[in-house]
Structures are given as C-alpha cells and as structure tokens.
Amino acid sequence: MASSASAQQEYPLFPGDPLVHQQWHLKNTGQNAFSERGGVAGEDLNLSLTHALGIMGSGVTTAVIDGGVELTHPDLINNVKPGSWDFLTNSPDLKPANSSDSHGTGVAGIIAATAFNGIGGRGVAPRAGLVGFNYLKNGNMENWLQSHGMYSDGFNKASFDFPRVFNQSYGRTLSAPQRFNYDSTPWLQTYEQAQEEITTTSHSGRGAIFVKSAGNGYRVQSFNARGLGSGYLWFANRNHGLPMQNVNLERIDTSYWNLVVSAYNADGKLSSYSTVGSSVFVSAPGGEYGSTTPAIISTDISGCDWGKNPANLRNSLHGGHPLDPHCDYNATMNGTSSAAPNTTGAIALIMSANPALTWRDVRHILASTARKIDAEHPGVTLTFNNAQGEAQQYDAIPTWQTNAAGYDFHTFYGFGAVDVDAAVHMARFYNADRGNFTITPWQQVDANVTIPDGSVAGGESSVQIDSDVTVEAVQIRVTGEHTSTRDVAIELISPAGTRSILMTPRTGTITGRNGFDDMQMLSHHFYGEVAQGQWTIRLIDTQGEDEAFVFDPRNGAQDIRAVHRNNAQDGVLTSWQIRFIGHN
C-alpha cells in the first residue's frame, strides 16, 4: 500500500563502514556489489531516513535460529547478548563447526552487524541485540523451548534479553503434499505451541515474532531417487514458468505463528530461486548469486582459511581486497535465507521506534506499508490440452490483486516489499486498536466432490460462515484422492469474491499419487475482509499430456531423462476444514 521505489524520498546512508556503499539491500544506487553488473536504483529496504533519525534497533534482541554463529566476529561481538546455546555441544559457545558452517554468521550480520566501527558493512538493525541457537545441526529447538520454561510459571518471559524477533532461515523442499496425522507428531505440536506462547505472552503481552524464509525451490526440486541417490529434478519446459515448490507444501510454513518471507533481487523482481505462495507475508532483498548480478554482502567466518572466501571466489570480495583485508566478509550471501534476516532487522527497527507495539501491531504495520514491488508483473497463465485435445487456459498466478478490504496481494510477494521508512513512520505515531484477537474452531465440510480430469471447471464445495470475525489469515485443511497431486491447483474464494491460489498447479515432482490427507494451507490474501458469508474451495486438474523431466544426480553422474505420464482419472475432494485467525 506504500509508494513505488521511484517515488521514495532520497536520504544518504551515513559513512563509517567501508562496505556499506556496496550493500544494495540497504540503499540501492545501481552499484554492482562486486558482481558483473548492478541493479535498479531504489529497489531496497528504504531505511536511510530511519537510520538518520538514530533508530537502529536499540532495546530489541533478535535470535538467529540456525547453525553455528561466530558471536566473536569483530562486527557482531558488540551486539551479542547472553542466552545463546549450541545443541551439539550443550554449551553457549556457538562457534561454527567447520569452514562450511558460515550460514548463521551471514544471517546474523544481515540483521545486526555493527555500524560506524570502520570495518565491513552494516546490519539492517546495527544496534539490535543478538543471540543464536544451533538448530540446523541438531533439530532440538523444541527441547530448548521447553528447557527455557515456556511451560513453567518461573520463567521471566519479560526479560530484557529475551528475543522479540526470532529468525528462521531454513526449510525443506518437499516433492508432494505430506500425508501425516498431526496428532501423531508431538515435536511439531510442541514447536507450534511454544511459538504461539512466546508470540502472544512474552514481554508482558507485547509478544514476539517468528520470521521464516519461504525456501529456494522455484526452479528446481531437491529429490531423492530410489537407487540413484539425491539430486535435482526439473521439467524440460521449465515447468511452464510455474514454481516447482509452493510454500504451502511445508507444514511449518502454514503455521500462522511464522511470518514467511520471499526474496527479491537488485532489479526489484522475484529472485530466480524464491519459493512463493499464499502464506508469504512480505518480500525482502535476497539477491541472486553474486557473480552476474548482486547477492547480499554480509559477515563471513573471520579469517582467510574459513568461510566462503577461500572456497568460493565468484566475485572480487575475497582475501587481499583492500575493503576486506582479513577475509571477514563475503558478497555471495543469498536465498530466502537472506530475505528473512532483512525482515527480522526491519522488525527490530519498527519495535525500536515504538517499544509499546504488540506483535499484532507490527504485523499490521508491515501489511499496511509494504511496497507494491514489480507492479506490472503479468502473473502466469498455464495453457494445456484436456482429454479431448481442447486448449484450456488457467490463471495460475494472478497479477497483483486488491482484496475487498483494500490490501494489495501477490502470490510472489505477499503484501509487497518491506518498506522500513514507511513502517517506522507508521510505528512512531501508531494508535490503532486491533480488537480482540481470536482463532475460530475448525469447521468441517463433507464434500465428496469430483475433480474432473484436465478441466478448468474443477470441483468445488462451499460453506456458510456465520462468524463476524475480521480476517487476518485463513487456514484450510484438505482431504481427497488424486493420482497426481502435482497437477492440482487449489483456490479459495471469499464471500467478497477475492480469489486466493492456495496451491499453484504443477507443484512438486512426479510423486504425490496418494492424494491429500488433512493437507494444511494458509493464506493472507483475505486480510481485513469479513469472514461472514459463503466461502468456496475449488480444486482444478490442469494436466492433459505427458511431460518430460530431468534428474541431475548430485554425485556427478549423467543426467537421467524420463517422462511423467499424464493421469487420466478424476480425483475426489472428500472433505475440507476451514478456520479464521483475526479479531472481533
């Protein structure tokens, strides 16, 4: 709802960090950031006025849930707070385990690398606090949450050093909808329950926010082939321009308690790899790969023997560069792993500008001030032949849409690009009443509706909702049978006529022949609309012909080319559930 990049007021970034003039994500002037070419001026976080006002994250502690983090890095150490933990060593020492364990250090630097110290670059929130948790190497974050008293009366969740923003730059690439009983996955329940409690009750009720990367599966799919090992799979027609991975395939990304972020590049377009979908809340800079076009410049494991510098010399920022004589930085950090900490840093700035804001206030500010990036994007139309050989067209990814409450939304970008100056301005003078937060019970709908093969008409089912809740998010669970879930598009239509694509077609790989079993999806597309009225779910089979695909083994063996055979059977939507998250 904010202005375009070209209309942003220009303010300089203060000097004091030798690499900051190349950090396009902070201020994009078209600089090349040590790659072959630069991007488009103005496509950035738009934070220079916020920094000029001295709002830099003071009083807000951020948590990096990742791998190892070099907390003693010269550009991080001054912002480190007590409370970090390494699950591998059961100690507070988060030192990276090896030279390749540089991811968490790069994430931390994007959030809170120190400003005005004469070295390296600058974080989005360069005075925010930092703690880290080594989760990626162990996976027992839920144990930490329990051991730190999330379910005990004695834990002081209002502690100054307890994080207000948790960054999660990780995820999985799934080949098909998961089929599992949520009640039989206690670790997932524990994690979501802990996230909910921290979000809603910490910091004397002001709460916290969990930021989550959307994933990097737009163009290729990580895949394990029986007898062939792991590798990458893609379709020969580049999947009709549609994403191989949808963010709603990963269960944790359909949790309301995760604020999911996609990535855009220095040209102000979706990063080539970024996973997308209706549960994306906002988009932030992730860049590309740092060779032809810019990636993100951030902290690396210090020294010339560890980290990305000795292993990956794809650009000129490496050992011996006069701006980085000690090899403590890199210019190849990218992925939605970079978009998430850019958002985490932005949230720290918003909270620092007005510490009284609640977690819901911050989410509302982000949704209200996000910039309509890539405004002329036409969307993606899928053309296919049905069983009778007749051409069909399906609007698989719509262009930017404005919902009935006036919020702009796009499958690629959510509400749009994070605009820090606009968000901080709104935060400083914020006095809105967000009403009483509520989550409605799940409403079950028995459908038994046919999903016709290769037909844009699809199969649909409707339900009447009596609740007058104002929507902040909608969750759906779908159960049904289909012999190729990759071909199925799933959309939800509100009483006001807003149409949200919950599952893009041609998502995943050749698997998924067992249909859907309580498959959960989430959409922010209906933000601000009223729940009351008729809601309609529609499932559309978009496949009418065989498709060639390629499997590229990671072991360097020759590519394997094969054909995904068209299924010619109808599917069935057996039942579905819906619930609303919002306020009265």
Short mmCIF file of all heavy atoms in Angstrom, two decimals, residues 310-344:
data_model
loop_
_atom_site.label_atom_id
_atom_site.label_comp_id
_atom_site.label_asym_id
_atom_site.label_seq_id
_atom_site.Cartn_x
_atom_site.Cartn_y
_atom_site.Cartn_z
N PRO A 310 37.64 -18.52 0.95
CA PRO A 310 38.59 -19.39 0.24
C PRO A 310 37.92 -20.40 -0.67
O PRO A 310 38.51 -20.88 -1.63
CB PRO A 310 39.34 -20.10 1.37
CG PRO A 310 38.38 -20.09 2.50
CD PRO A 310 37.61 -18.80 2.39
N ALA A 311 36.66 -20.72 -0.39
CA ALA A 311 36.00 -21.80 -1.12
C ALA A 311 35.27 -21.33 -2.35
O ALA A 311 35.02 -22.09 -3.27
CB ALA A 311 35.03 -22.53 -0.19
N ASN A 312 34.91 -20.06 -2.39
CA ASN A 312 34.01 -19.61 -3.45
C ASN A 312 34.41 -18.20 -3.89
O ASN A 312 33.96 -17.23 -3.31
CB ASN A 312 32.56 -19.64 -2.95
CG ASN A 312 31.57 -19.41 -4.06
OD1 ASN A 312 31.93 -18.99 -5.15
ND2 ASN A 312 30.32 -19.69 -3.79
N LEU A 313 35.26 -18.10 -4.88
CA LEU A 313 35.76 -16.81 -5.33
C LEU A 313 34.99 -16.35 -6.56
O LEU A 313 35.55 -16.06 -7.60
CB LEU A 313 37.26 -16.90 -5.63
CG LEU A 313 38.11 -17.42 -4.46
CD1 LEU A 313 39.57 -17.43 -4.85
CD2 LEU A 313 37.91 -16.59 -3.21
N ARG A 314 33.66 -16.27 -6.44
CA ARG A 314 32.83 -15.90 -7.58
C ARG A 314 32.83 -14.41 -7.83
O ARG A 314 32.31 -13.96 -8.83
CB ARG A 314 31.41 -16.40 -7.38
CG ARG A 314 31.27 -17.89 -7.63
CD ARG A 314 29.83 -18.32 -7.61
NE ARG A 314 29.30 -18.30 -6.25
CZ ARG A 314 28.11 -18.77 -5.93
NH1 ARG A 314 27.34 -19.29 -6.84
NH2 ARG A 314 27.69 -18.73 -4.68
N ASN A 315 33.36 -13.62 -6.91
CA ASN A 315 33.49 -12.19 -7.17
C ASN A 315 34.73 -11.67 -6.47
O ASN A 315 35.48 -12.43 -5.86
CB ASN A 315 32.22 -11.43 -6.76
CG ASN A 315 31.88 -11.64 -5.30
OD1 ASN A 315 32.76 -11.61 -4.46
ND2 ASN A 315 30.61 -11.87 -5.01
N SER A 316 34.95 -10.38 -6.54
CA SER A 316 36.25 -9.83 -6.14
C SER A 316 36.37 -9.53 -4.66
O SER A 316 37.41 -9.02 -4.23
CB SER A 316 36.52 -8.56 -6.94
OG SER A 316 35.50 -7.59 -6.69
N LEU A 317 35.34 -9.78 -3.85
CA LEU A 317 35.46 -9.55 -2.42
C LEU A 317 35.99 -10.82 -1.76
O LEU A 317 35.24 -11.70 -1.35
CB LEU A 317 34.11 -9.15 -1.82
CG LEU A 317 34.16 -8.77 -0.33
CD1 LEU A 317 35.01 -7.53 -0.11
CD2 LEU A 317 32.76 -8.56 0.22
N HIS A 318 37.30 -10.93 -1.68
CA HIS A 318 37.91 -12.10 -1.05
C HIS A 318 39.26 -11.68 -0.50
O HIS A 318 39.59 -10.50 -0.46
CB HIS A 318 38.02 -13.26 -2.03
CG HIS A 318 38.73 -12.94 -3.30
ND1 HIS A 318 40.10 -12.86 -3.40
CD2 HIS A 318 38.26 -12.64 -4.53
CE1 HIS A 318 40.43 -12.56 -4.64
NE2 HIS A 318 39.33 -12.41 -5.35
N GLY A 319 40.03 -12.63 -0.03
CA GLY A 319 41.29 -12.35 0.63
C GLY A 319 42.17 -11.37 -0.13
O GLY A 319 42.41 -11.51 -1.31
N GLY A 320 42.64 -10.35 0.57
CA GLY A 320 43.51 -9.37 -0.04
C GLY A 320 42.81 -8.14 -0.56
O GLY A 320 43.47 -7.18 -0.93
N HIS A 321 41.47 -8.13 -0.61
CA HIS A 321 40.76 -6.95 -1.07
C HIS A 321 40.96 -5.82 -0.05
O HIS A 321 40.84 -6.04 1.16
CB HIS A 321 39.27 -7.25 -1.24
CG HIS A 321 38.54 -6.21 -2.03
ND1 HIS A 321 38.22 -4.98 -1.49
CD2 HIS A 321 38.08 -6.20 -3.30
CE1 HIS A 321 37.58 -4.26 -2.40
NE2 HIS A 321 37.49 -4.98 -3.51
N PRO A 322 41.27 -4.62 -0.50
CA PRO A 322 41.55 -3.53 0.44
C PRO A 322 40.38 -3.20 1.37
O PRO A 322 40.60 -2.66 2.46
CB PRO A 322 41.89 -2.35 -0.47
CG PRO A 322 41.39 -2.72 -1.83
CD PRO A 322 41.47 -4.21 -1.91
N LEU A 323 39.14 -3.51 0.96
CA LEU A 323 37.99 -3.26 1.83
C LEU A 323 37.73 -4.40 2.80
O LEU A 323 36.90 -4.27 3.71
CB LEU A 323 36.73 -3.00 0.99
CG LEU A 323 36.76 -1.76 0.10
CD1 LEU A 323 35.45 -1.64 -0.68
CD2 LEU A 323 37.03 -0.50 0.91
N ASP A 324 38.44 -5.50 2.62
CA ASP A 324 38.26 -6.67 3.49
C ASP A 324 39.60 -7.40 3.63
O ASP A 324 39.75 -8.55 3.23
CB ASP A 324 37.19 -7.60 2.91
CG ASP A 324 36.92 -8.81 3.80
OD1 ASP A 324 37.18 -8.73 5.02
OD2 ASP A 324 36.48 -9.84 3.26
N PRO A 325 40.59 -6.78 4.21
CA PRO A 325 41.94 -7.37 4.24
C PRO A 325 42.04 -8.65 5.06
O PRO A 325 42.97 -9.44 4.85
CB PRO A 325 42.80 -6.25 4.84
CG PRO A 325 41.83 -5.41 5.61
CD PRO A 325 40.56 -5.45 4.84
N HIS A 326 41.09 -8.88 5.97
CA HIS A 326 41.17 -10.05 6.84
C HIS A 326 40.18 -11.16 6.44
O HIS A 326 39.99 -12.11 7.18
CB HIS A 326 40.94 -9.65 8.29
CG HIS A 326 41.89 -8.60 8.78
ND1 HIS A 326 43.25 -8.81 8.88
CD2 HIS A 326 41.66 -7.31 9.17
CE1 HIS A 326 43.83 -7.71 9.33
NE2 HIS A 326 42.89 -6.78 9.51
N CYS A 327 39.53 -11.01 5.30
CA CYS A 327 38.59 -12.03 4.78
C CYS A 327 37.45 -12.30 5.75
O CYS A 327 37.06 -13.45 5.98
CB CYS A 327 39.33 -13.34 4.49
SG CYS A 327 40.81 -13.19 3.49
N ASP A 328 36.87 -11.25 6.31
CA ASP A 328 35.80 -11.41 7.30
C ASP A 328 34.40 -11.24 6.72
O ASP A 328 33.42 -11.30 7.47
CB ASP A 328 35.99 -10.38 8.42
CG ASP A 328 37.23 -10.64 9.25
OD1 ASP A 328 37.82 -11.73 9.11
OD2 ASP A 328 37.63 -9.74 10.03
N TYR A 329 34.30 -11.04 5.39
CA TYR A 329 33.01 -10.75 4.77
C TYR A 329 32.91 -11.51 3.45
O TYR A 329 33.90 -12.01 2.92
CB TYR A 329 32.84 -9.24 4.54
CG TYR A 329 33.00 -8.46 5.82
CD1 TYR A 329 34.25 -8.03 6.25
CD2 TYR A 329 31.90 -8.20 6.64
CE1 TYR A 329 34.42 -7.36 7.46
CE2 TYR A 329 32.05 -7.53 7.83
CZ TYR A 329 33.31 -7.12 8.25
OH TYR A 329 33.45 -6.47 9.44
N ASN A 330 31.71 -11.60 2.92
CA ASN A 330 31.53 -12.18 1.60
C ASN A 330 30.42 -11.42 0.87
O ASN A 330 29.61 -10.73 1.50
CB ASN A 330 31.22 -13.68 1.67
CG ASN A 330 29.79 -13.96 2.08
OD1 ASN A 330 28.87 -13.91 1.26
ND2 ASN A 330 29.57 -14.26 3.36
N ALA A 331 30.40 -11.56 -0.43
CA ALA A 331 29.40 -10.88 -1.25
C ALA A 331 28.54 -11.88 -2.01
O ALA A 331 27.99 -11.56 -3.07
CB ALA A 331 30.07 -9.92 -2.22
N THR A 332 28.42 -13.10 -1.47
CA THR A 332 27.64 -14.14 -2.15
C THR A 332 26.53 -14.71 -1.27
O THR A 332 25.97 -15.75 -1.58
CB THR A 332 28.57 -15.29 -2.61
OG1 THR A 332 29.25 -15.82 -1.47
CG2 THR A 332 29.57 -14.80 -3.63
N MET A 333 26.20 -14.04 -0.17
CA MET A 333 25.08 -14.48 0.67
C MET A 333 23.78 -14.22 -0.09
O MET A 333 23.55 -13.12 -0.59
CB MET A 333 25.10 -13.71 1.98
CG MET A 333 24.07 -14.17 2.99
SD MET A 333 24.51 -15.73 3.75
CE MET A 333 23.03 -16.03 4.73
N ASN A 334 22.92 -15.23 -0.20
CA ASN A 334 21.69 -15.04 -0.96
C ASN A 334 20.61 -15.99 -0.45
O ASN A 334 20.72 -16.56 0.62
CB ASN A 334 21.94 -15.22 -2.46
CG ASN A 334 22.36 -16.63 -2.82
OD1 ASN A 334 22.40 -17.52 -1.98
ND2 ASN A 334 22.69 -16.85 -4.08
N GLY A 335 19.56 -16.14 -1.24
CA GLY A 335 18.47 -17.03 -0.88
C GLY A 335 17.43 -16.34 -0.01
O GLY A 335 17.62 -15.21 0.47
N THR A 336 16.32 -17.04 0.19
CA THR A 336 15.36 -16.52 1.17
C THR A 336 15.97 -16.55 2.56
O THR A 336 15.44 -15.93 3.48
CB THR A 336 14.04 -17.30 1.13
OG1 THR A 336 14.29 -18.69 1.31
CG2 THR A 336 13.33 -17.10 -0.20
N SER A 337 17.11 -17.24 2.71
CA SER A 337 17.89 -17.16 3.94
C SER A 337 18.38 -15.75 4.20
O SER A 337 18.69 -15.39 5.34
CB SER A 337 19.11 -18.10 3.87
OG SER A 337 18.73 -19.44 4.05
N SER A 338 18.52 -14.94 3.14
CA SER A 338 18.89 -13.53 3.31
C SER A 338 17.66 -12.64 3.43
O SER A 338 17.69 -11.63 4.15
CB SER A 338 19.73 -13.07 2.11
OG SER A 338 20.96 -13.76 2.06
N ALA A 339 16.58 -12.99 2.75
CA ALA A 339 15.36 -12.20 2.84
C ALA A 339 14.79 -12.21 4.25
O ALA A 339 14.30 -11.18 4.75
CB ALA A 339 14.33 -12.72 1.84
N ALA A 340 14.85 -13.36 4.92
CA ALA A 340 14.31 -13.45 6.28
C ALA A 340 15.05 -12.53 7.25
O ALA A 340 14.40 -11.74 7.96
CB ALA A 340 14.35 -14.90 6.77
N PRO A 341 16.39 -12.55 7.34
CA PRO A 341 17.05 -11.63 8.28
C PRO A 341 16.91 -10.16 7.90
O PRO A 341 16.95 -9.29 8.78
CB PRO A 341 18.51 -12.09 8.25
CG PRO A 341 18.68 -12.86 6.99
CD PRO A 341 17.35 -13.51 6.75
N ASN A 342 16.77 -9.86 6.61
CA ASN A 342 16.46 -8.48 6.25
C ASN A 342 15.13 -8.06 6.88
O ASN A 342 14.98 -6.92 7.36
CB ASN A 342 16.41 -8.33 4.73
CG ASN A 342 17.76 -7.99 4.13
OD1 ASN A 342 18.43 -7.08 4.59
ND2 ASN A 342 18.17 -8.71 3.10
N THR A 343 14.17 -8.97 6.91
CA THR A 343 12.87 -8.68 7.53
C THR A 343 12.99 -8.65 9.05
O THR A 343 12.39 -7.79 9.71
CB THR A 343 11.84 -9.72 7.10
OG1 THR A 343 11.77 -9.76 5.67
CG2 THR A 343 10.47 -9.41 7.66
N THR A 344 13.78 -9.57 9.61
CA THR A 344 14.00 -9.57 11.06
C THR A 344 14.61 -8.25 11.51
O THR A 344 14.18 -7.66 12.51
CB THR A 344 14.91 -10.74 11.44
OG1 THR A 344 14.22 -11.98 11.19
CG2 THR A 344 15.32 -10.68 12.90
#
